[in-house]
Structure formats: C-alpha cells, structure tokens
Amino acid sequence: MARRNKIIYWIVTVWLSLGMLSAGIVQLMKMDAEVDMMIHLGYPTYLLIILGVSKILGVAAILVPRFPLIKEWAYAGFFFTTAGAVISHLAVGDSFGDFFPPLLLLILTVASWYFRPEDRKVGRSGRNL
C-alpha cells in the first residue's frame, strides 16, 4: 500500500509541477492569451507576474526535499489559486473548456497533497521548516 501511494504521489506531483511551471512561465511572459483571459475575468494584468512567480516558487517548494511547512503553504497557495480560477470562470459564464485546465490542476493539487509521503508532512519529520 505504501509503495502504491508513493507511486501515485510522484506521478500526480510531476504532472502538477509541469502544469504549474508551464502556467507560471506563460504568465511571466504575459502571453497575449493570458492577458486577454485576465481582462476577460476582470483582473488587472499585473496579477500575471504575481501568479507566475508564485507558481514557480511553489513548484520548487513542493519538489525540494525537507521543509514540510513551506510545502503546506505551497499546496495551500496552489489550492486557492486554482479554486479561484475555476470560480472566476464560472462567475463570468465561461464554458467547461475554459475552466477545465484550472480544475485539473486543482484535482492534481489535492491528490498530490493527499498522497504525499510522511516525511513531507508537517509535524511528522520533527522539522517544520
């Protein structure tokens, strides 16, 4: 069972990391499609820089060994960012195709958090930072 959970964790976490890293890079580059989407959702475009940097730092926090408390904050950030994106798309009446990518990242975030090994949980390894 533990081996199965570890395999699930790494598969899900790699997909989550790739998704967040690519989204972060695209947001930092302020690609036209991203700028148009932010305007469509009613957000200022400077938010793209904040989100891009946060996603890249979050990926680093989740992948680097140790520091379980920082990992918890990264997972929380991913959860609120992706849940907010899904809610924003629903609020403006977007189609399923528009909110599916953040929904998928939300599911991957929850799955990665749920299946994380004991040494990546707060209070389990004796170290919280």
Side-chain angles (χ1 to χ4, degrees):
M1 179 85 159
R3 179 178 159 94
R4 179 186 69 98
N5 286 355
K6 197 171 196 175
I7 291 169
I8 292 170
Y9 167 77
W10 280 110
I11 290 171
V12 168
T13 302
V14 165
W15 279 107
L16 171 65
S17 298
L18 290 172
M20 287 296 190
L21 183 63
S22 64
I25 290 169
V26 165
Q27 289 168 335
L28 280 177
M29 293 172 58
K30 286 190 167 184
M31 293 186 72
D32 291 341
E34 290 293 312
V35 171
D36 292 344
M37 185 58 70
M38 291 303 276
I39 292 168
H40 169 71
L41 294 173
Y43 295 113
T45 56
Y46 66 79
L47 192 58
L48 288 170
I49 301 298
I50 297 168
L51 290 171
V53 169
S54 298
K55 288 176 182 178
I56 292 168
L57 291 175
V59 168
I62 287 174
L63 293 179
V64 170
R66 298 179 32 201
F67 310 112
L69 184 59
I70 295 172
K71 290 180 192 319
E72 287 293 316
W73 281 94
Y75 279 119
F78 284 172
F79 179 84
F80 291 120
T81 299
T82 55
V86 170
I87 292 167
S88 295
H89 283 288
L90 290 172
V92 298
D94 283 345
S95 68
F96 179 74
D98 289 325
F99 70 84
F100 177 73
L103 179 63
L104 178 59
L105 289 172
L106 177 62
I107 292 166
L108 291 172
T109 297
V110 171
S112 177
W113 176 84
Y114 180 81
F115 286 105
R116 72 197 187 286
E118 289 296 319
D119 64 341
R120 291 177 176 257
K121 295 180 180 179
V122 174
R124 310 285 185 182
S125 65
R127 294 181 159 172
N128 285 334
L129 286 179

PDB file of all heavy atoms in Angstrom, residues 92-116:
ATOM      1  N   VAL A  92     -18.145  34.273 -14.662  1.00  0.00           N
ATOM      2  CA  VAL A  92     -18.355  35.031 -15.909  1.00  0.00           C
ATOM      3  C   VAL A  92     -19.056  34.196 -16.978  1.00  0.00           C
ATOM      4  O   VAL A  92     -19.236  34.651 -18.100  1.00  0.00           O
ATOM      5  CB  VAL A  92     -17.035  35.626 -16.461  1.00  0.00           C
ATOM      6  CG1 VAL A  92     -16.436  36.611 -15.474  1.00  0.00           C
ATOM      7  CG2 VAL A  92     -16.046  34.550 -16.854  1.00  0.00           C
ATOM      8  N   GLY A  93     -19.425  32.975 -16.620  1.00  0.00           N
ATOM      9  CA  GLY A  93     -20.194  32.136 -17.543  1.00  0.00           C
ATOM     10  C   GLY A  93     -19.382  31.442 -18.610  1.00  0.00           C
ATOM     11  O   GLY A  93     -19.916  31.115 -19.674  1.00  0.00           O
ATOM     12  N   ASP A  94     -18.105  31.211 -18.352  1.00  0.00           N
ATOM     13  CA  ASP A  94     -17.258  30.527 -19.333  1.00  0.00           C
ATOM     14  C   ASP A  94     -17.659  29.067 -19.487  1.00  0.00           C
ATOM     15  O   ASP A  94     -18.279  28.467 -18.609  1.00  0.00           O
ATOM     16  CB  ASP A  94     -15.787  30.611 -18.917  1.00  0.00           C
ATOM     17  CG  ASP A  94     -15.179  31.969 -19.204  1.00  0.00           C
ATOM     18  OD1 ASP A  94     -15.780  32.745 -19.955  1.00  0.00           O
ATOM     19  OD2 ASP A  94     -14.087  32.245 -18.668  1.00  0.00           O
ATOM     20  N   SER A  95     -17.248  28.494 -20.594  1.00  0.00           N
ATOM     21  CA  SER A  95     -17.556  27.092 -20.887  1.00  0.00           C
ATOM     22  C   SER A  95     -16.629  26.163 -20.100  1.00  0.00           C
ATOM     23  O   SER A  95     -15.627  26.588 -19.536  1.00  0.00           O
ATOM     24  CB  SER A  95     -17.390  26.822 -22.385  1.00  0.00           C
ATOM     25  OG  SER A  95     -16.015  26.914 -22.732  1.00  0.00           O
ATOM     26  N   PHE A  96     -16.974  24.891 -20.106  1.00  0.00           N
ATOM     27  CA  PHE A  96     -16.177  23.873 -19.413  1.00  0.00           C
ATOM     28  C   PHE A  96     -14.737  23.866 -19.911  1.00  0.00           C
ATOM     29  O   PHE A  96     -13.801  23.693 -19.138  1.00  0.00           O
ATOM     30  CB  PHE A  96     -16.815  22.490 -19.607  1.00  0.00           C
ATOM     31  CG  PHE A  96     -16.052  21.379 -18.942  1.00  0.00           C
ATOM     32  CD1 PHE A  96     -16.084  21.223 -17.567  1.00  0.00           C
ATOM     33  CD2 PHE A  96     -15.304  20.487 -19.696  1.00  0.00           C
ATOM     34  CE1 PHE A  96     -15.380  20.200 -16.953  1.00  0.00           C
ATOM     35  CE2 PHE A  96     -14.594  19.464 -19.097  1.00  0.00           C
ATOM     36  CZ  PHE A  96     -14.643  19.316 -17.712  1.00  0.00           C
ATOM     37  N   GLY A  97     -14.552  24.081 -21.190  1.00  0.00           N
ATOM     38  CA  GLY A  97     -13.209  24.093 -21.773  1.00  0.00           C
ATOM     39  C   GLY A  97     -12.328  25.188 -21.202  1.00  0.00           C
ATOM     40  O   GLY A  97     -11.108  25.043 -21.141  1.00  0.00           O
ATOM     41  N   ASP A  98     -12.947  26.279 -20.770  1.00  0.00           N
ATOM     42  CA  ASP A  98     -12.172  27.380 -20.200  1.00  0.00           C
ATOM     43  C   ASP A  98     -11.744  27.108 -18.762  1.00  0.00           C
ATOM     44  O   ASP A  98     -10.678  27.536 -18.339  1.00  0.00           O
ATOM     45  CB  ASP A  98     -12.971  28.685 -20.248  1.00  0.00           C
ATOM     46  CG  ASP A  98     -13.116  29.220 -21.652  1.00  0.00           C
ATOM     47  OD1 ASP A  98     -12.166  29.055 -22.450  1.00  0.00           O
ATOM     48  OD2 ASP A  98     -14.173  29.804 -21.958  1.00  0.00           O
ATOM     49  N   PHE A  99     -12.590  26.426 -17.988  1.00  0.00           N
ATOM     50  CA  PHE A  99     -12.205  26.188 -16.601  1.00  0.00           C
ATOM     51  C   PHE A  99     -11.699  24.777 -16.343  1.00  0.00           C
ATOM     52  O   PHE A  99     -11.325  24.442 -15.215  1.00  0.00           O
ATOM     53  CB  PHE A  99     -13.321  26.578 -15.612  1.00  0.00           C
ATOM     54  CG  PHE A  99     -14.541  25.699 -15.619  1.00  0.00           C
ATOM     55  CD1 PHE A  99     -14.575  24.529 -14.886  1.00  0.00           C
ATOM     56  CD2 PHE A  99     -15.665  26.082 -16.318  1.00  0.00           C
ATOM     57  CE1 PHE A  99     -15.706  23.729 -14.873  1.00  0.00           C
ATOM     58  CE2 PHE A  99     -16.805  25.293 -16.309  1.00  0.00           C
ATOM     59  CZ  PHE A  99     -16.825  24.103 -15.580  1.00  0.00           C
ATOM     60  N   PHE A 100     -11.618  23.949 -17.386  1.00  0.00           N
ATOM     61  CA  PHE A 100     -11.074  22.607 -17.188  1.00  0.00           C
ATOM     62  C   PHE A 100      -9.593  22.608 -16.782  1.00  0.00           C
ATOM     63  O   PHE A 100      -9.222  21.870 -15.860  1.00  0.00           O
ATOM     64  CB  PHE A 100     -11.281  21.727 -18.426  1.00  0.00           C
ATOM     65  CG  PHE A 100     -10.670  20.363 -18.264  1.00  0.00           C
ATOM     66  CD1 PHE A 100     -11.266  19.424 -17.431  1.00  0.00           C
ATOM     67  CD2 PHE A 100      -9.496  20.021 -18.915  1.00  0.00           C
ATOM     68  CE1 PHE A 100     -10.696  18.170 -17.247  1.00  0.00           C
ATOM     69  CE2 PHE A 100      -8.917  18.775 -18.747  1.00  0.00           C
ATOM     70  CZ  PHE A 100      -9.528  17.847 -17.908  1.00  0.00           C
ATOM     71  N   PRO A 101      -8.721  23.410 -17.425  1.00  0.00           N
ATOM     72  CA  PRO A 101      -7.309  23.377 -17.003  1.00  0.00           C
ATOM     73  C   PRO A 101      -7.099  23.719 -15.518  1.00  0.00           C
ATOM     74  O   PRO A 101      -6.411  22.965 -14.814  1.00  0.00           O
ATOM     75  CB  PRO A 101      -6.630  24.393 -17.929  1.00  0.00           C
ATOM     76  CG  PRO A 101      -7.483  24.386 -19.156  1.00  0.00           C
ATOM     77  CD  PRO A 101      -8.882  24.219 -18.649  1.00  0.00           C
ATOM     78  N   PRO A 102      -7.697  24.811 -14.993  1.00  0.00           N
ATOM     79  CA  PRO A 102      -7.502  25.033 -13.561  1.00  0.00           C
ATOM     80  C   PRO A 102      -8.190  23.972 -12.691  1.00  0.00           C
ATOM     81  O   PRO A 102      -7.712  23.655 -11.599  1.00  0.00           O
ATOM     82  CB  PRO A 102      -8.079  26.428 -13.304  1.00  0.00           C
ATOM     83  CG  PRO A 102      -8.912  26.754 -14.475  1.00  0.00           C
ATOM     84  CD  PRO A 102      -8.380  25.947 -15.617  1.00  0.00           C
ATOM     85  N   LEU A 103      -9.291  23.407 -13.175  1.00  0.00           N
ATOM     86  CA  LEU A 103      -9.947  22.330 -12.428  1.00  0.00           C
ATOM     87  C   LEU A 103      -9.037  21.107 -12.339  1.00  0.00           C
ATOM     88  O   LEU A 103      -8.922  20.483 -11.277  1.00  0.00           O
ATOM     89  CB  LEU A 103     -11.286  21.968 -13.084  1.00  0.00           C
ATOM     90  CG  LEU A 103     -12.067  20.832 -12.424  1.00  0.00           C
ATOM     91  CD1 LEU A 103     -12.469  21.213 -11.008  1.00  0.00           C
ATOM     92  CD2 LEU A 103     -13.304  20.494 -13.263  1.00  0.00           C
ATOM     93  N   LEU A 104      -8.389  20.770 -13.446  1.00  0.00           N
ATOM     94  CA  LEU A 104      -7.450  19.651 -13.442  1.00  0.00           C
ATOM     95  C   LEU A 104      -6.296  19.923 -12.477  1.00  0.00           C
ATOM     96  O   LEU A 104      -5.901  19.040 -11.705  1.00  0.00           O
ATOM     97  CB  LEU A 104      -6.923  19.399 -14.855  1.00  0.00           C
ATOM     98  CG  LEU A 104      -5.893  18.277 -14.999  1.00  0.00           C
ATOM     99  CD1 LEU A 104      -6.457  16.944 -14.519  1.00  0.00           C
ATOM    100  CD2 LEU A 104      -5.418  18.177 -16.436  1.00  0.00           C
ATOM    101  N   LEU A 105      -5.746  21.133 -12.491  1.00  0.00           N
ATOM    102  CA  LEU A 105      -4.665  21.474 -11.568  1.00  0.00           C
ATOM    103  C   LEU A 105      -5.146  21.446 -10.115  1.00  0.00           C
ATOM    104  O   LEU A 105      -4.387  21.054  -9.219  1.00  0.00           O
ATOM    105  CB  LEU A 105      -4.076  22.837 -11.910  1.00  0.00           C
ATOM    106  CG  LEU A 105      -3.243  22.892 -13.186  1.00  0.00           C
ATOM    107  CD1 LEU A 105      -2.876  24.338 -13.521  1.00  0.00           C
ATOM    108  CD2 LEU A 105      -1.998  22.029 -13.071  1.00  0.00           C
ATOM    109  N   LEU A 106      -6.395  21.807  -9.879  1.00  0.00           N
ATOM    110  CA  LEU A 106      -6.964  21.722  -8.534  1.00  0.00           C
ATOM    111  C   LEU A 106      -7.028  20.270  -8.070  1.00  0.00           C
ATOM    112  O   LEU A 106      -6.635  19.945  -6.939  1.00  0.00           O
ATOM    113  CB  LEU A 106      -8.359  22.361  -8.515  1.00  0.00           C
ATOM    114  CG  LEU A 106      -9.134  22.292  -7.210  1.00  0.00           C
ATOM    115  CD1 LEU A 106      -8.408  23.035  -6.098  1.00  0.00           C
ATOM    116  CD2 LEU A 106     -10.539  22.858  -7.400  1.00  0.00           C
ATOM    117  N   ILE A 107      -7.484  19.397  -8.930  1.00  0.00           N
ATOM    118  CA  ILE A 107      -7.568  17.962  -8.597  1.00  0.00           C
ATOM    119  C   ILE A 107      -6.173  17.398  -8.354  1.00  0.00           C
ATOM    120  O   ILE A 107      -5.954  16.639  -7.398  1.00  0.00           O
ATOM    121  CB  ILE A 107      -8.312  17.197  -9.714  1.00  0.00           C
ATOM    122  CG1 ILE A 107      -9.781  17.613  -9.743  1.00  0.00           C
ATOM    123  CG2 ILE A 107      -8.166  15.684  -9.540  1.00  0.00           C
ATOM    124  CD1 ILE A 107     -10.535  17.181 -10.988  1.00  0.00           C
ATOM    125  N   LEU A 108      -5.216  17.750  -9.201  1.00  0.00           N
ATOM    126  CA  LEU A 108      -3.841  17.284  -9.017  1.00  0.00           C
ATOM    127  C   LEU A 108      -3.238  17.824  -7.719  1.00  0.00           C
ATOM    128  O   LEU A 108      -2.485  17.113  -7.036  1.00  0.00           O
ATOM    129  CB  LEU A 108      -2.976  17.698 -10.208  1.00  0.00           C
ATOM    130  CG  LEU A 108      -3.267  17.001 -11.536  1.00  0.00           C
ATOM    131  CD1 LEU A 108      -2.474  17.655 -12.665  1.00  0.00           C
ATOM    132  CD2 LEU A 108      -2.982  15.511 -11.458  1.00  0.00           C
ATOM    133  N   THR A 109      -3.561  19.056  -7.354  1.00  0.00           N
ATOM    134  CA  THR A 109      -3.068  19.634  -6.098  1.00  0.00           C
ATOM    135  C   THR A 109      -3.568  18.833  -4.900  1.00  0.00           C
ATOM    136  O   THR A 109      -2.792  18.455  -4.019  1.00  0.00           O
ATOM    137  CB  THR A 109      -3.511  21.106  -5.959  1.00  0.00           C
ATOM    138  OG1 THR A 109      -2.932  21.865  -7.020  1.00  0.00           O
ATOM    139  CG2 THR A 109      -3.105  21.697  -4.625  1.00  0.00           C
ATOM    140  N   VAL A 110      -4.862  18.565  -4.880  1.00  0.00           N
ATOM    141  CA  VAL A 110      -5.453  17.810  -3.765  1.00  0.00           C
ATOM    142  C   VAL A 110      -4.879  16.395  -3.723  1.00  0.00           C
ATOM    143  O   VAL A 110      -4.530  15.889  -2.651  1.00  0.00           O
ATOM    144  CB  VAL A 110      -6.992  17.797  -3.867  1.00  0.00           C
ATOM    145  CG1 VAL A 110      -7.604  16.857  -2.853  1.00  0.00           C
ATOM    146  CG2 VAL A 110      -7.541  19.205  -3.694  1.00  0.00           C
ATOM    147  N   ALA A 111      -4.745  15.754  -4.869  1.00  0.00           N
ATOM    148  CA  ALA A 111      -4.211  14.387  -4.910  1.00  0.00           C
ATOM    149  C   ALA A 111      -2.755  14.353  -4.466  1.00  0.00           C
ATOM    150  O   ALA A 111      -2.354  13.461  -3.700  1.00  0.00           O
ATOM    151  CB  ALA A 111      -4.356  13.810  -6.316  1.00  0.00           C
ATOM    152  N   SER A 112      -1.944  15.292  -4.909  1.00  0.00           N
ATOM    153  CA  SER A 112      -0.537  15.338  -4.508  1.00  0.00           C
ATOM    154  C   SER A 112      -0.423  15.565  -3.005  1.00  0.00           C
ATOM    155  O   SER A 112       0.372  14.906  -2.325  1.00  0.00           O
ATOM    156  CB  SER A 112       0.196  16.447  -5.269  1.00  0.00           C
ATOM    157  OG  SER A 112       1.527  16.553  -4.837  1.00  0.00           O
ATOM    158  N   TRP A 113      -1.216  16.477  -2.478  1.00  0.00           N
ATOM    159  CA  TRP A 113      -1.207  16.748  -1.045  1.00  0.00           C
ATOM    160  C   TRP A 113      -1.636  15.506  -0.259  1.00  0.00           C
ATOM    161  O   TRP A 113      -1.008  15.137   0.731  1.00  0.00           O
ATOM    162  CB  TRP A 113      -2.136  17.921  -0.728  1.00  0.00           C
ATOM    163  CG  TRP A 113      -2.240  18.198   0.741  1.00  0.00           C
ATOM    164  CD1 TRP A 113      -1.392  18.942   1.490  1.00  0.00           C
ATOM    165  CD2 TRP A 113      -3.252  17.711   1.621  1.00  0.00           C
ATOM    166  NE1 TRP A 113      -1.816  18.953   2.800  1.00  0.00           N
ATOM    167  CE2 TRP A 113      -2.958  18.202   2.908  1.00  0.00           C
ATOM    168  CE3 TRP A 113      -4.375  16.908   1.448  1.00  0.00           C
ATOM    169  CZ2 TRP A 113      -3.744  17.920   4.017  1.00  0.00           C
ATOM    170  CZ3 TRP A 113      -5.164  16.621   2.555  1.00  0.00           C
ATOM    171  CH2 TRP A 113      -4.847  17.128   3.811  1.00  0.00           C
ATOM    172  N   TYR A 114      -2.686  14.844  -0.717  1.00  0.00           N
ATOM    173  CA  TYR A 114      -3.226  13.677  -0.012  1.00  0.00           C
ATOM    174  C   TYR A 114      -2.233  12.504   0.014  1.00  0.00           C
ATOM    175  O   TYR A 114      -2.086  11.836   1.031  1.00  0.00           O
ATOM    176  CB  TYR A 114      -4.543  13.236  -0.661  1.00  0.00           C
ATOM    177  CG  TYR A 114      -5.159  12.041   0.009  1.00  0.00           C
ATOM    178  CD1 TYR A 114      -5.895  12.197   1.176  1.00  0.00           C
ATOM    179  CD2 TYR A 114      -4.999  10.757  -0.512  1.00  0.00           C
ATOM    180  CE1 TYR A 114      -6.461  11.106   1.812  1.00  0.00           C
ATOM    181  CE2 TYR A 114      -5.559   9.659   0.111  1.00  0.00           C
ATOM    182  CZ  TYR A 114      -6.284   9.835   1.277  1.00  0.00           C
ATOM    183  OH  TYR A 114      -6.831   8.746   1.913  1.00  0.00           O
ATOM    184  N   PHE A 115      -1.567  12.254  -1.090  1.00  0.00           N
ATOM    185  CA  PHE A 115      -0.676  11.105  -1.200  1.00  0.00           C
ATOM    186  C   PHE A 115       0.775  11.406  -0.815  1.00  0.00           C
ATOM    187  O   PHE A 115       1.637  10.541  -0.935  1.00  0.00           O
ATOM    188  CB  PHE A 115      -0.715  10.521  -2.619  1.00  0.00           C
ATOM    189  CG  PHE A 115      -1.981   9.764  -2.912  1.00  0.00           C
ATOM    190  CD1 PHE A 115      -2.964  10.322  -3.713  1.00  0.00           C
ATOM    191  CD2 PHE A 115      -2.201   8.507  -2.377  1.00  0.00           C
ATOM    192  CE1 PHE A 115      -4.139   9.635  -3.983  1.00  0.00           C
ATOM    193  CE2 PHE A 115      -3.371   7.807  -2.638  1.00  0.00           C
ATOM    194  CZ  PHE A 115      -4.345   8.371  -3.437  1.00  0.00           C
ATOM    195  N   ARG A 116       1.079  12.612  -0.346  1.00  0.00           N
ATOM    196  CA  ARG A 116       2.469  12.950  -0.007  1.00  0.00           C
ATOM    197  C   ARG A 116       2.999  12.020   1.076  1.00  0.00           C
ATOM    198  O   ARG A 116       2.262  11.624   1.980  1.00  0.00           O
ATOM    199  CB  ARG A 116       2.593  14.419   0.394  1.00  0.00           C
ATOM    200  CG  ARG A 116       2.003  14.764   1.729  1.00  0.00           C
ATOM    201  CD  ARG A 116       1.796  16.277   1.830  1.00  0.00           C
ATOM    202  NE  ARG A 116       1.389  16.678   3.165  1.00  0.00           N
ATOM    203  CZ  ARG A 116       0.198  16.484   3.691  1.00  0.00           C
ATOM    204  NH1 ARG A 116      -0.742  15.880   2.990  1.00  0.00           N
ATOM    205  NH2 ARG A 116      -0.069  16.893   4.924  1.00  0.00           N
TER     206      ARG A 116
END
